Amino acid sequence: DTLWDLAIAEVEKRENPDGDGKHVEVWEKSVLFMGSKSGGKTTIILRCLEREEIPKPTLALEYTFGRRARRHNAPKDIAHFWEVGGGTSLLELIRIPITSNNIRSFAVVLVLDLSKPNELWTTMEKLLQATRNHVNKILMKLEKTNPEVATEIKQRMWKNLQRDHPDYELIDPFPIPLVIIGSKYDVFQEFESEMRKIISKTLRFVSHYYGASLVFTSKSEAHLLKARALINHLAFGYDKSKSVSVDHSKPLFIPAGLDSLSQIGPPPASDSDIGKLRANTPLELWKQVFGKTFPPESFCDLQDTKDPGQDLQYAEYEVDAMRTQKNQELEQYKRNASKSWKEMDFDPD
């Protein structure tokens, strides 16, 4: 047994000491939060877990968990929450929490900062592509080692869309459950109406194309309620909401499978402009149209990443003293190496 198995068994024993011999299955799910830097991922997680804590910037990959019972005196279900910080600068960390052992119970929440539309598509594209590539590698391995599980996951991709849905042949579902959250709606609602409409329609298309749920939210408790409902469905198996809000003048809320291309409409551009664009897929077409209004900015998340070694909240006297000493030794080595290099004679031949 793994450490997790032993821990779960111990919790079940403590919560049901008299045990009547019946095994009660414990729901255990994992959710990975990723998205825009400073987009509010930590705040959303804390609100979902009903924790009154002041959110701190996520350095790299952070983990927490929540436990809830479905009924009185029943073992509590467990939800593992992972969060990748740094925007798109730490893509390689995605492969740590998502493994072949938990892929069947894994879901992704992508948080996009609505107040920064010029960064929106790039952030979304990089993170979803990196995640999809990693999941596809896991599925390829499972096809050889456990084909039944691989088949189950692939069939589940289409669960949110009925076969008689008019868009069944036109979309490309994400390999694992996906929720897209547009954060900072309070800032977004101050944008001009046409800008809001373009962003809303584009995110509606992307979500529908990937078979994902979409919700707009902010720090407002009223706005967070529906986001929490979607996340609780992924993490704890709560009932899935069937309400829908597609009015771009209000916060969007569209559970997976409840939208359609006919309701979303064509990309927000004239027929002549669309005719000039070269795209191989509907997603590429929307990307180009969106980029006309919101050209992607050249930004690098790494430039803004603070060195945690210089952060006072992580101060450790002995460690910091040793690090200072090693930095001084490194600088001395560089100076000596530079002198040696200049004094070397090179054979012209």
Side-chain angles (χ1 to χ4, degrees):
D1 289 344
T2 66
L3 184 60
W4 283 116
D5 294 330
L6 295 173
I8 292 171
E10 179 64 22
V11 169
E12 290 180 349
K13 181 179 178 181
R14 291 182 181 180
E15 295 185 344
N16 191 21
D18 298 328
D20 55 5
K22 296 181 180 179
H23 174 69
V24 179
E25 184 179 0
V26 174
W27 175 292
E28 186 170 0
K29 298 288 184 178
S30 298
V31 183
L32 173 64
F33 285 75
M34 58 186 183
S36 304
K37 188 173 182 180
S38 302
K41 299 182 291 296
T42 305
T43 299
I44 293 172
I45 293 174
L46 292 175
R47 292 291 185 89
C48 286
L49 296 177
E50 298 178 356
R51 294 181 185 170
E52 298 296 330
E53 301 176 20
I54 299 176
K56 298 178 181 178
T58 302
L59 292 176
L61 179 66
E62 295 194 4
Y63 167 82
T64 188
F65 69 94
R67 298 168 66 242
R68 291 180 186 169
R70 277 172 277 183
R71 58 183 181 275
H72 184 62
N73 287 335
K76 291 185 177 180
D77 297 325
I78 303 171
H80 307 284
F81 289 85
W82 298 86
E83 180 186 356
V84 175
T88 61
S89 65
L90 302 171
L91 295 176
E92 68 277 7
L93 295 179
I94 290 172
R95 60 186 174 83
I96 295 177
I98 308 178
T99 69
S100 58
N101 293 327
N102 63 16
I103 188 69
R104 296 172 69 183
S105 59
F106 217 99
V108 170
V109 175
L110 175 67
V111 180
L112 299 173
D113 188 341
L114 295 174
S115 69
K116 300 176 181 178
N118 297 87
E119 298 179 7
L120 190 149
W121 192 285
T122 301
T123 299
M124 173 182 66
E125 185 176 55
K126 287 184 177 181
L127 290 171
L128 291 184
Q129 184 175 358
T131 305
R132 187 166 209 159
N133 290 342
H134 176 60
V135 171
N136 285 339
K137 288 180 181 178
I138 292 177
L139 291 177
M140 289 177 63
K141 292 181 180 178
L142 285 176
E143 286 176 350
K144 299 177 181 178
T145 60
N146 198 336
E148 292 182 358
V149 172
T151 301
E152 174 193 332
I153 294 173
K154 290 182 178 180
Q155 291 176 344
R156 193 178 62 188
M157 291 164 52
W158 295 90
K159 184 179 69 173
N160 291 320
L161 206 66
Q162 301 298 324
R163 282 191 170 274
D164 59 353
H165 194 289
D167 305 332
Y168 192 83
E169 301 294 335
L170 301 174
I171 68 170
D172 185 17
F174 206 67
I176 55 179
L178 172 66
V179 169
I180 297 177
I181 296 178
S183 65
K184 301 187 181 179
Y185 178 78
D186 51 335
V187 179
F188 172 77
Q189 65 181 349
E190 301 299 326
F191 288 0
E192 294 180 0
S193 176
E194 191 60 28
M195 291 177 62
R196 295 200 310 270
K197 186 176 181 179
I198 293 173
I199 296 171
S200 297
K201 286 189 64 173
T202 300
L203 287 181
R204 281 182 65 186
F205 170 79
V206 171
S207 298
H208 184 59
Y209 185 77
Y210 282 130
S213 298
L214 174 66
V215 61
F216 285 0
T217 189
S218 68
K219 291 183 179 180
S220 165
E221 189 63 29
H223 291 163
L224 276 169
L225 283 176
K226 290 188 175 181
R228 287 172 58 184
L230 290 175
I231 295 170
N232 283 332
H233 171 70
L234 296 178
F236 298 105
Y238 286 19
D239 290 340
K240 185 178 179 181
S241 175
K242 294 183 179 180
S243 66
V244 177
S245 175
V246 296
D247 185 348
H248 73 271
S249 65
K250 300 177 181 178
L252 296 183
F253 180 76
I254 312 172
L258 299 184
D259 211 343
S260 68
L261 295 177
S262 61
Q263 294 180 53
I264 297 170
S270 64
D271 293 341
S272 59
D273 288 339
I274 290 179
K276 298 176 184 178
L277 300 175
R278 295 183 179 181
N280 296 321
T281 65
L283 189 67
E284 183 67 26
L285 178 63
W286 278 81
K287 175 183 177 180
Q288 293 185 32
V289 172
F290 187 79
K292 290 283 186 180
T293 306
F294 303 105
E297 294 180 352
S298 177
F299 71 97
C300 178
D301 291 315
L302 285 174
Q303 293 177 348
D304 299 326
T305 302
K306 295 181 180 179
D307 181 1
Q310 305 299 324
D311 195 324
L312 293 179
Q313 69 173 318
Y314 303 110
E316 293 282 354
Y317 176 75
E318 294 182 354
V319 175
D320 294 340
M322 180 57 70
R323 174 170 178 158
T324 300
Q325 177 184 328
K326 293 300 180 182
N327 285 340
Q328 292 173 349
E329 292 175 359
L330 177 60
E331 291 302 319
Q332 184 62 42
Y333 172 80
K334 288 179 180 179
R335 287 193 290 270
N336 293 339
S338 178
K339 292 178 182 177
S340 300
W341 182 265
K342 291 177 182 179
E343 293 172 358
M344 290 177 69
D345 292 327
F346 290 93
D347 188 341
D349 296 329

